[in-house]
């Protein structure tokens, strides 16, 4: 079964850091770009970052540039999101997703990040 | 950045109704548009890609059309399980962007 499972969410104070993980199974992970998408409470979807198959290219939404870093370990079939200098507006459910040229076709169940003092 | 504007943002409809949702892009994106369905507490699900291609396993009552800057998602006969929020997404260029969403509720 093709599956993505996120972990690492939690409560963090403003200015703090958190590292999200996404474990993939059921497909050849190294053959796919991967993505992180977030959804603030009661709000719509926001694309956060993409990473190329070999990690050589990374793209970010402006609001997280310089604070978040997407990475991957193809040997561990995992993609990560290192989040630093967290703000209240980063509070959201974070999803990882498999990228096809035409869309995000496989999604994890999401992990919740709450930034609050 | 390419902005996507969905309309309406909220739609009240009955089972069996034909429903159309529009997504307008701030600049041309060719056919690089996907549609997703999201139910409360769940991850989004890919419905349509390349503007008009049905994802495997998606019922044929869903269809998509359009190119350039204007796109539509149509549900030909609304079913109880279709009550959800629908999002468009452009994959033409980074940053990838989503529309604001259309919530389809039961009348």
């Amino acid at each position: 079964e093709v599956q993505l499972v996120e972990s690492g969410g939690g409560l963090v104070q403003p200015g703090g850091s958190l590292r999200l993980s996404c474990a993939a199974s059921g497909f050849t992970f190294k053959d796919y770009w991967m993505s992180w998408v977030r959804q603030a409470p009661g709000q719509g979807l926001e694309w956060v970052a993409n990473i190329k198959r070999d990690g050589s290219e990374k793209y970010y939404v402006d609001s997280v540039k310089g604070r978040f870093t997407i990475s991957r370990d193809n040997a561990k079939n995992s993609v990560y999101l290192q989040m630093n200098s967290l703000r209240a507006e980063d509070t959201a459910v974070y999803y990882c997703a498999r990228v096809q040229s035409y869309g995000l076709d496989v999604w994890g169940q999401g992990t919740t990040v709450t930034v609050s003092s | 950045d390419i902005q996507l504007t969905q309309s309406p943002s909220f739609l009240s409809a009955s089972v069996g109704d034909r429903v159309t949702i529009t997504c307008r892009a701030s600049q041309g994106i060719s056919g690089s548009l996907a549609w997703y369905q999201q139910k409360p507490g769940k991850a989004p699900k890919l419905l349509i890609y390349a503007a008009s291609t049905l994802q495997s396993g998606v019922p044929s009552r869903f269809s998509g059309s359009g190119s350039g800057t204007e796109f539509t998602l149509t549900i030909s006969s609304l079913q109880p399980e279709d009550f959800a929020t629908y999002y468009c997404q452009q994959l033409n260029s980074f940053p990838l962007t989503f529309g604001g969403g259309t919530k389809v509720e039961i009348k």
Side-chain angles (χ1 to χ4, degrees):
Chain A
E1 179 192 4
V2 174
Q3 195 172 12
L4 298 171
V5 178
E6 302 95 335
S7 60
L11 174 65
V12 60
Q13 292 189 338
S17 298
L18 214 53
R19 187 194 195 209
L20 306 183
S21 299
C22 171
S25 59
F27 64 98
T28 306
F29 180 73
K30 64 181 178 61
D31 288 347
Y32 292 88
W33 286 65
M34 295 297 294
S35 187
W36 286 96
V37 175
R38 68 183 178 182
Q39 186 168 36
Q43 302 302 307
L45 301 172
E46 181 182 39
W47 170 80
V48 174
N50 267 29
I51 186 166
K52 195 176 180 179
R53 289 175 287 271
D54 62 357
S56 62
E57 294 181 33
K58 304 174 184 181
Y59 300 89
Y60 301 91
V61 68
D62 281 351
S63 59
V64 309
K65 282 180 184 175
R67 300 189 300 124
F68 290 13
T69 302
I70 189 171
S71 63
R72 65 190 295 159
D73 185 336
N74 287 342
K76 295 183 178 180
N77 291 339
S78 293
V79 61
Y80 308 98
L81 188 67
Q82 176 67 45
M83 304 186 297
N84 298 331
S85 303
L86 282 161
R87 306 166 180 167
E89 53 266 33
D90 296 317
T91 294
V93 175
Y94 284 74
Y95 297 99
C96 69
R98 187 175 77 172
V99 180
Q100 300 277 14
S101 59
Y102 51 79
L104 308 181
D105 69 336
V106 179
W107 295 66
Q109 84 288 352
T111 188
T112 300
V113 172
T114 304
V115 184
S116 175
S117 55
Chain B
D1 297 1
I2 298 173
Q3 313 301 322
L4 296 180
T5 304
Q6 278 184 245
S7 60
S9 55
F10 176 85
L11 188 161
S12 181
S14 301
V15 172
D17 283 353
R18 181 182 182 89
V19 166
T20 299
I21 299 168
T22 298
C23 178
R24 289 188 173 87
S26 59
Q27 61 190 79
I29 59 171
S30 186
S32 300
L33 190 99
W35 290 96
Y36 301 86
Q37 176 193 66
Q38 188 181 33
K39 296 182 179 179
K42 300 295 186 181
K45 172 187 173 184
L46 178 64
L47 294 178
I48 286 171
Y49 61 89
S52 60
T53 303
L54 208 61
Q55 173 72 339
S56 175
V58 174
S60 59
R61 62 181 179 272
F62 291 92
S63 64
S65 65
S67 67
T69 61
E70 186 150 339
F71 301 86
T72 59
L73 171 70
T74 299
I75 309 171
S76 60
S77 177
L78 201 63
Q79 297 302 301
E81 59 268 32
D82 301 336
F83 292 94
T85 301
Y86 294 84
Y87 296 92
C88 56
Q89 182 198 25
Q90 66 83 16
L91 296 105
N92 183 74
S93 61
F94 290 107
L96 306 184
T97 45
F98 288 92
T102 296
K103 187 173 184 179
V104 178
E105 290 200 342
I106 301 173
K107 182 182 286 185

